[in-house]
Amino acid sequence: MSKIRFGLIGSGWRAEFYIRIAKALPEKFELAGVVIRDREKGEAFAAKFGVNVVQSLEELLNNQLDYVVLSIKRGIVSDYLIELFKRGIPVLCETPPGETIEALEELWEQAVQYHAKVQIAEQYFVQPLYSAWLKVIQDGKLGEVSNINISSLHGYHGVSIIRKALNAGYGNCTLIGKRYSFEVTETYGREGMAFDGEVFSCTRDRLTLEFENGKVAFFDFSDPAQYHSFIRTRQLTVQGGRGEIDDLSIRYLTSANVPVTQELNRIDLGRYSNQEWAHYGIMLGEEFVYRNPYTNARLNDDEIAVATCMDLMGEYLTTDKEFYSLKEALQDTYIALKMEEALKHPNQEVSTSTRIWAQ
């Protein structure tokens, strides 16, 4: 596909990613307009970001669009999605599609009824580091993967990586968990580092997910400190019969069963005496396990991932090759809902069952 021309519904923090990406990669993406129903708010938004703002979906669709990006609150996303399905508009949906199991099933039925062209902008598996980890697994360096310990992503984001790492498909699982609360000192705010020593209470969710194929995930997440703290960090371990990922360390056996330990090495341009600024890729030994497709654009890791979803959406519309389907998103969101159920019933088993999208 040539340059992608898209429309945007939404004006929140996540919606701003798409504006920045379109400005950073004008040869690849063109933002035709943003829907903001409130005229005064829309005028302020247009002035701030230098974009075309319209007040209705009809006005947006008057433009020649390849697809619409839907980036709105979770509670109202299903209604917008169904409206776009009915109009036959291809949609890249930023928000997880639904807050209840019933809403997820209704959305699936509507998507099937209207032959919806839809993908979900779940970005983490195409972020540089997660993409590199998954490449190591896909290359078979660990052998058959049996378990994952993930302490870096919340809810459906974490489930997405769990299912991909374990190759769990749409198999059912049994969950057990408990929510804790601990004090932590604030270190990070909207303006950068915080030094006032404020202490707040932070939840920590610990769950075990046992899949019917025998594979196991250990889930651990602290909210909100995990994403925004200089004294809380991520941890990821994936184990297979012939090796393991231990965060940035990769341990595996060669074909002659010689044990090898290597580190993932991030390559960034613009550090120290280098005059550029961009992420270039991630290497394991002498091979790249990830290359940034936008090396000349000044994008952070999440922006790289969202831009990748935008590109893959364009590819999907020309080839029908899905990259993160509604079916996958429904499954990940469903398991995340069951995780919340397990946390509300500490140390009691909760089980998933096969839903209509997986039959």
Side-chain angles (χ1 to χ4, degrees):
M1 177 178 279
S2 55
K3 181 188 290 189
I4 292 170
R5 184 172 168 83
F6 70 99
L8 176 62
I9 301 175
S11 57
W13 179 75
R14 289 301 299 180
E16 293 176 11
F17 277 62
Y18 295 89
I19 297 172
R20 291 197 298 271
I21 290 165
K23 290 181 181 295
L25 296 167
E27 73 283 3
K28 296 188 70 67
F29 305 111
E30 180 182 355
L31 175 57
V34 182
V35 176
I36 301 177
R37 297 190 182 280
D38 183 277
R39 182 180 296 277
E40 186 176 341
K41 180 180 177 182
E43 290 175 351
F45 192 90
K48 179 178 180 180
F49 293 102
V51 295
N52 176 41
V53 172
V54 297
Q55 290 181 275
S56 68
L57 180 59
E58 287 71 22
E59 289 180 85
L60 182 66
L61 297 181
N62 285 335
N63 296 278
Q64 191 68 32
L65 304 175
D66 293 303
Y67 59 79
V68 168
V69 171
L70 185 58
S71 181
I72 58 177
K73 293 179 180 179
R74 184 172 181 175
I76 58 176
V77 68
S78 293
D79 291 341
Y80 268 93
L81 272 175
I82 292 171
E83 177 65 22
L84 292 166
F85 293 169
K86 290 178 179 179
R87 292 171 177 260
I89 306 301
V91 56
L92 177 62
C93 180
E94 169 69 31
T95 312
E99 295 186 297
T100 67
I101 296 172
E102 292 75 21
L104 300 182
E105 292 183 336
E106 169 66 14
L107 187 60
W108 177 253
E109 290 172 347
Q110 294 289 328
V112 171
Q113 178 180 344
Y114 293 103
H115 307 285
K117 299 290 286 185
V118 57
Q119 297 287 283
I120 309 299
E122 170 53 47
Q123 78 276 24
Y124 280 99
F125 77 101
V126 285
Q127 271 196 6
L129 181 56
Y130 290 95
S131 184
W133 279 329
L134 291 172
K135 181 66 163 57
V136 169
I137 294 169
Q138 292 160 4
D139 286 348
K141 282 185 167 59
L142 311 186
E144 181 68 19
V145 169
S146 59
N147 69 88
I148 178 174
N149 184 89
I150 181 169
S151 179
S152 60
L153 302 173
H154 78 281
Y156 59 94
H157 294 306
V159 176
S160 172
I161 298 299
I162 286 170
R163 288 180 56 246
K164 288 182 181 297
L166 296 181
N167 194 25
Y170 295 88
N172 290 312
C173 64
T174 299
L175 308 90
I176 188 168
K178 187 174 181 180
R179 174 166 287 162
Y180 302 86
S181 183
F182 303 105
E183 289 189 344
V184 63
T185 302
E186 182 68 85
T187 63
Y188 180 90
R190 287 184 177 270
E191 304 303 319
M193 297 184 73
F195 303 101
D196 58 8
E198 178 186 354
V199 176
F200 65 97
S201 182
C202 180
T203 63
R204 185 168 184 177
D205 297 342
R206 301 291 297 267
L207 297 106
T208 300
L209 291 73
E210 297 183 5
F211 289 87
E212 58 188 5
N213 63 1
K215 297 186 178 185
V216 178
F218 305 102
F219 177 91
D220 180 359
F221 186 77
S222 296
D223 186 25
Q226 196 99 38
Y227 286 138
H228 306 288
S229 176
F230 289 102
I231 57 172
R232 294 290 186 268
T233 187
R234 58 148 209 282
Q235 295 175 331
L236 183 130
T237 304
V238 181
Q239 294 183 327
R242 295 187 61 80
E244 74 171 12
I245 296 170
D246 178 13
D247 203 46
L248 299 182
S249 299
I250 313 296
R251 302 181 180 91
Y252 62 95
L253 298 174
T254 69
S255 58
N257 294 320
V258 176
V260 174
T261 299
Q262 291 182 317
E263 299 291 316
L264 291 175
N265 181 27
R266 182 184 176 103
I267 311 297
D268 288 325
L269 306 178
R271 300 175 64 185
Y272 307 115
S273 61
N274 191 291
Q275 298 303 305
E276 296 85 16
W277 188 94
H279 174 55
Y280 188 83
I282 297 176
M283 299 187 73
L284 181 66
E286 60 185 26
E287 68 171 314
F288 279 95
V289 286
Y290 176 79
R291 285 181 185 266
N292 178 14
Y294 314 110
T295 52
N296 293 323
R298 295 188 172 190
L299 301 174
N300 65 33
D301 285 14
D302 215 34
E303 291 166 343
I304 291 169
V306 172
T308 301
C309 289
M310 295 170 70
D311 256 338
L312 292 173
M313 181 66 183
E315 182 180 343
Y316 162 69
L317 293 178
T318 57
T319 67
D320 280 333
K321 180 181 178 183
E322 297 185 312
F323 65 94
Y324 189 77
S325 66
L326 179 61
K327 181 177 178 179
E328 281 193 87
L330 293 172
Q331 184 71 10
D332 290 338
T333 307
Y334 167 58
I335 293 177
L337 291 174
K338 299 299 283 188
M339 290 166 64
E340 286 297 322
E341 181 182 337
L343 292 170
K344 291 176 182 177
H345 301 86
N347 301 322
Q348 296 182 27
E349 287 190 354
V350 170
S351 296
T352 66
S353 58
T354 303
R355 314 313 300 184
I356 57 173
W357 55 80
Q359 293 174 357

